[in-house]
Amino acid sequence: FKDGFDVYADHDLHRFGGPGAWNDPDYLLLGYLSNWKGATAPTPLTPNEQYAHVLLWSLVAAPLIFSGDVTRLDPFTLSLLTNDEVIDVDQDPLGKPGRRVWKQGPLEVWARELEDGSKAVGLFNRGEGTVEVAATWADLGVSGKQTVRDLWRQKQAGVFDGQYKAPVGRHGVVMVKLSRADSP
């Protein structure tokens, strides 16, 4: 999982994905996982890492293949798998995979164009402490005021101009959708 960021970004794999040719970083390591001996154990990923895992898959337009034990779904794992706004990003009809648009040390911003003209954006912190991560309009290829919606929390974050920034926890992510704000 940790190398998935660099594999996709460093090789520009977004150029090869789309309808009929989906990038596939493998199955989602969520919930209780089975090993080759048939035993199950909890995912090795922290909750923050699980959010980042699902978001990266959604941004690269990958199949959301759940590898966990469906008979042992806990509320947290179920919430990851059933967030309709996050699934909508993954399943967006445009089918254009996202890509990394900014990186500084362990901080990254990824973006994906959506069919309705909006952008799905992931603010990633691969570092060890909580850090503020900013997505600038210049890096995202947008301009003017943007309405920002937090997709994990399923609520509006507000209208912003020039950038959106948020604190992101250790190995965590913030997932937002940017849409051009209507003129007053």
Side-chain angles (χ1 to χ4, degrees):
F1 165 66
K2 198 172 193 180
D3 296 328
F5 288 95
D6 297 328
V7 167
Y8 277 84
D10 293 347
H11 299 287
D12 292 327
L13 294 180
H14 67 279
R15 296 179 299 136
F16 305 106
W22 304 109
N23 286 318
D24 184 7
D26 214 346
Y27 53 86
L28 296 167
L29 299 172
L30 310 173
Y32 280 83
L33 307 171
S34 296
N35 67 20
W36 61 275
K37 294 180 182 179
T40 60
T43 179
L45 303 178
T46 67
N48 276 354
E49 291 167 341
Q50 290 177 72
Y51 278 118
H53 197 61
V54 173
L55 175 53
L56 184 61
W57 265 236
S58 295
L59 289 174
V60 300
L64 297 176
I65 301 170
F66 176 58
S67 62
D69 182 346
V70 295
T71 67
R72 297 181 74 180
L73 283 176
D74 57 82
F76 175 75
T77 304
L78 188 59
S79 75
L80 291 172
L81 296 172
T82 60
N83 183 311
D84 57 336
E85 293 184 38
V86 174
I87 292 170
D88 284 349
V89 169
D90 180 76
Q91 301 293 306
D92 186 72
L94 182 62
K96 189 172 183 179
R99 62 186 181 84
R100 182 167 59 198
V101 297
W102 178 85
K103 179 177 180 175
Q104 183 176 11
L107 309 179
E108 301 187 16
V109 175
W110 286 63
R112 179 176 179 194
E113 294 176 38
L114 303 176
E115 184 182 51
D116 66 2
S118 64
K119 295 228 181 193
V121 178
L123 310 175
F124 291 90
N125 174 9
R126 295 170 63 186
E128 296 303 317
T130 298
V131 177
E132 193 165 74
V133 180
T136 67
W137 285 192
D139 289 333
L140 297 172
V142 299
S143 61
K145 292 183 179 181
Q146 300 286 320
T147 300
V148 178
R149 180 164 179 84
D150 184 320
L151 298 183
W152 281 121
R153 290 173 181 79
Q154 297 187 329
K155 67 178 189 175
Q156 296 299 104
V159 176
F160 297 83
D161 194 4
Q163 72 174 352
Y164 175 76
K165 58 185 174 179
V168 182
R170 174 189 181 273
H171 297 182
V173 67
V174 169
M175 181 180 193
V176 295
K177 181 176 178 180
L178 275 63
S179 305
R180 188 158 186 86
D182 295 326
S183 300

